[in-house]
Amino acid sequence: LKEYRANVIYMLYNEDIDSESANIALATENPDEVNTLLSVINNRGYNYKVVYRGSDTEEVERIIGLKLVEKFFLRLRKLVSDRDVKQLMAIVDSSRKLYSELVNFYSEVGNHPEKGDVFSNVLAFASTSIVRLGKNFKAKQLTPLQFNTTRILTFCLPTGGNIFVFQHDDEFTMFDAGYGLYYEDFKSLLVSKRINPSRVKRIFVSHADADHIGCAGYFSEEFGAQVFIHPDCKGVMDKENRGYGANTQLSRLNKHFTMLVNRFTQCKYPKNMNFFPTEPLSKIGVFNIIHTFRVGSLKFEVLESQGGHVPGQVFFLNREHGLIFTSDYLINVESLSDEEREYLKLPRYLMTSTNTNSQLFREESKHLIEVIFSLNKKLKEKKSSVIIFPGHGNYYSYQEQFSIC
């Protein structure tokens, strides 16, 4: 600060409160001085957040906004190479709307500093998906499972949610659809498994986050696949806000976050959708059963979430064989690779901080375990057990002692 003759109004530092950072107020005569100083700080590897008070000219907004964006890209360097970071920066620079949303995102984070790292980590994870395309696309396929005449294929994409493909009769049905930018690579993967993508006739979506619905619009547009989803997801999609309709102080932050992730991952919402009815047919535990459908020889019930993770969340349950698709609930964290853990950090934010209501999410997870426990007791008589299909990581059999991360 002395070297660049910054006029320091005050500096606040208290190691008992935060031993890692200080709060500094500066005054300068013109924006160029701010730009020069922040460039030096940036080059020396310090992380910072700027709160600007002064002229409202576009030039000053550009300078301050640029530094906020650079802070985001500093985080990306922990996950991808400098070449990949430059590629991502070029994408942002070419899109004024994307750039503006990134600035707005960080501006909103300033009002919720305790959430800033969580959302920037998730955002960094989403953007790194861009460098996993083409020759870098590697999806993990789990061992197929056969139930009567229906076969279930599980594909774990390099980043983002799992896609479950059911082979039955002479067609295919999907549960969830992964990030949109993987569409072409995922089609090629299906072809390599002797699956004609045009034979995917239905897609059942657990919720409207980009890593679960992103490809659905592409399948619908190209092949006419029908998409089935909870009606509460319509508000999330129309307003492009994963927190839409939820009573949360983070609603605006969720909006910027949703728009950014959708842009980075090329999410395409389907134009035509089939909405599950919401009038309860019955209950299982605390969850309303709002619909039933068949996939080949398997009958599924649609369980309506109470909204802990995101509005419009549903679970899919087959009682005969004990198959339950829990999406971002009850994830098998131990099955994730080190790279996946670095990207997802599931115990920290996919399981807690990105939920619209974290307390409700935890309660719902416990209620899901109760449903699974009760169902598993009945299946034991047939020498079988419940199989949990999470939205990330491997599927796994129920064990009487397991915990939520």
Side-chain angles (χ1 to χ4, degrees):
L1 297 176
K2 180 179 179 181
E3 180 182 353
Y4 284 86
R5 301 179 65 184
N7 186 1
V8 180
I9 300 173
Y10 64 81
M11 296 180 65
L12 301 179
Y13 170 76
N14 187 325
E15 63 181 352
D16 293 330
I17 297 176
D18 187 351
S19 62
E20 299 293 329
S21 64
N23 190 325
I24 306 173
L26 306 173
T28 62
E29 291 185 359
N30 62 69
D32 288 338
E33 294 180 14
V34 178
N35 193 32
T36 301
L37 177 59
L38 293 183
S39 292
V40 172
I41 293 174
N42 183 48
N43 291 335
R44 292 184 182 178
Y46 291 100
N47 292 322
Y48 58 84
K49 179 169 64 181
V50 175
V51 178
Y52 180 76
R53 297 290 183 271
S55 171
D56 292 328
T57 64
E58 182 179 349
E59 177 66 17
V60 174
E61 289 179 355
R62 186 191 68 79
I63 292 172
I64 302 301
L66 178 62
K67 297 307 154 185
L68 293 171
V69 174
E70 284 184 350
K71 181 184 177 184
F72 164 68
F73 285 113
L74 279 173
R75 288 191 175 278
L76 278 186
R77 286 192 171 91
K78 296 180 180 179
L79 299 176
V80 299
S81 68
D82 284 343
R83 184 196 62 184
D84 293 330
V85 170
K86 289 178 181 178
Q87 176 187 347
L88 292 169
M89 291 181 74
I91 293 172
V92 172
D93 288 342
S94 66
S95 171
R96 181 65 190 176
K97 188 168 185 178
L98 182 61
Y99 176 90
S100 297
E101 282 304 322
L102 196 49
V103 173
N104 291 336
F105 167 78
Y106 269 100
S107 298
E108 192 62 36
V109 164
N111 298 326
H112 307 281
E114 76 284 0
K115 300 294 184 183
D117 286 345
V118 171
F119 279 90
S120 57
N121 281 336
V122 178
L123 189 59
F125 156 67
S127 61
T128 55
S129 302
I130 293 174
V131 298
R132 295 292 184 268
L133 302 177
K135 65 179 181 181
N136 294 323
F137 178 82
K138 295 179 181 179
K140 178 172 65 174
Q141 181 181 357
L142 305 185
T143 303
L145 300 176
Q146 187 82 30
F147 298 96
N148 299 332
T149 60
T150 303
R151 192 170 184 236
I152 304 177
L153 307 175
T154 302
F155 298 99
C156 305
L157 302 189
T159 60
N162 294 340
I163 299 180
F164 304 98
V165 179
F166 294 74
Q167 184 175 6
H168 58 95
D169 305 321
D170 193 36
E171 62 182 53
F172 297 87
T173 296
M174 282 171 36
F175 282 6
D176 282 348
Y179 278 140
L181 55 78
Y182 290 137
Y183 179 60
E184 294 298 333
D185 288 315
F186 183 63
K187 281 199 304 179
S188 298
L189 176 62
L190 291 179
V191 171
S192 73
K193 304 297 179 182
R194 298 183 179 179
I195 298 173
N196 185 340
S198 68
R199 289 167 58 197
V200 175
K201 301 300 183 181
R202 294 180 298 169
I203 302 174
F204 292 88
V205 178
S206 63
H207 63 293
D209 275 346
D211 56 339
H212 295 270
I213 196 174
C215 277
Y218 294 95
F219 274 100
S220 176
E221 182 177 85
E222 184 172 2
F223 302 120
Q226 291 184 291
V227 179
F228 297 83
I229 196 167
H230 192 285
D232 285 354
C233 292
K234 190 174 188 306
V236 172
M237 293 184 284
D238 288 347
K239 301 298 182 181
E240 228 176 342
N241 183 352
R242 70 182 305 278
Y244 175 75
N247 184 18
T248 170
Q249 294 180 338
L250 298 178
S251 178
R252 285 188 299 175
L253 178 55
N254 267 293
K255 179 174 178 60
H256 297 311
F257 166 75
T258 305
M259 295 181 72
L260 279 168
V261 172
N262 287 356
R263 300 292 182 277
F264 272 118
T265 63
Q266 300 175 28
C267 178
K268 177 175 282 192
Y269 295 135
K271 294 180 180 179
N272 300 309
M273 291 165 284
N274 299 277
F275 295 111
F276 299 127
T278 56
E279 186 69 26
L281 302 175
S282 59
K283 292 181 77 76
I284 181 167
V286 303
F287 301 104
N288 288 332
I289 299 173
I290 58 174
H291 188 56
T292 63
F293 62 92
R294 300 195 71 87
V295 179
S297 59
L298 302 176
K299 178 183 177 181
F300 282 96
E301 296 171 307
V302 180
L303 280 56
E304 184 179 45
S305 163
Q306 297 171 327
H309 181 57
V310 64
Q313 171 83 55
V314 295
F315 314 108
F316 305 118
L317 172 65
N318 169 270
R319 298 200 201 203
E320 180 186 2
H321 300 285
L323 315 178
I324 185 165
F325 292 77
T326 63
S327 188
D328 290 342
Y329 293 68
L330 308 184
I331 291 173
N332 183 4
V333 177
E334 294 301 318
S335 70
L336 300 172
S337 67
D338 290 340
E339 183 180 53
E340 288 171 323
R341 293 190 195 199
E342 177 63 28
Y343 288 154
L344 291 172
K345 298 190 186 300
L346 286 166
R348 180 179 174 193
Y349 50 82
L350 278 183
M351 300 296 284
T352 304
S353 299
T354 60
N355 300 314
T356 56
N357 186 326
S358 294
Q359 178 60 38
L360 178 56
F361 176 87
R362 288 189 288 270
E363 292 174 2
E364 284 189 286
S365 297
K366 292 177 182 177
H367 290 311
L368 274 174
I369 292 175
E370 292 171 1
V371 168
I372 292 169
F373 177 79
S374 176
L375 182 58
N376 200 69
K377 286 179 64 177
K378 298 177 181 179
L379 289 172
K380 271 188 174 181
E381 300 172 3
K382 303 178 183 179
K383 296 183 179 180
S384 184
S385 64
V386 171
I387 300 177
I388 301 165
F389 295 85
H392 303 263
N394 294 3
Y395 58 75
Y396 58 103
S397 296
Y398 171 80
Q399 297 176 354
E400 292 194 8
Q401 299 296 327
F402 74 96
S403 61
I404 305 171
C405 295

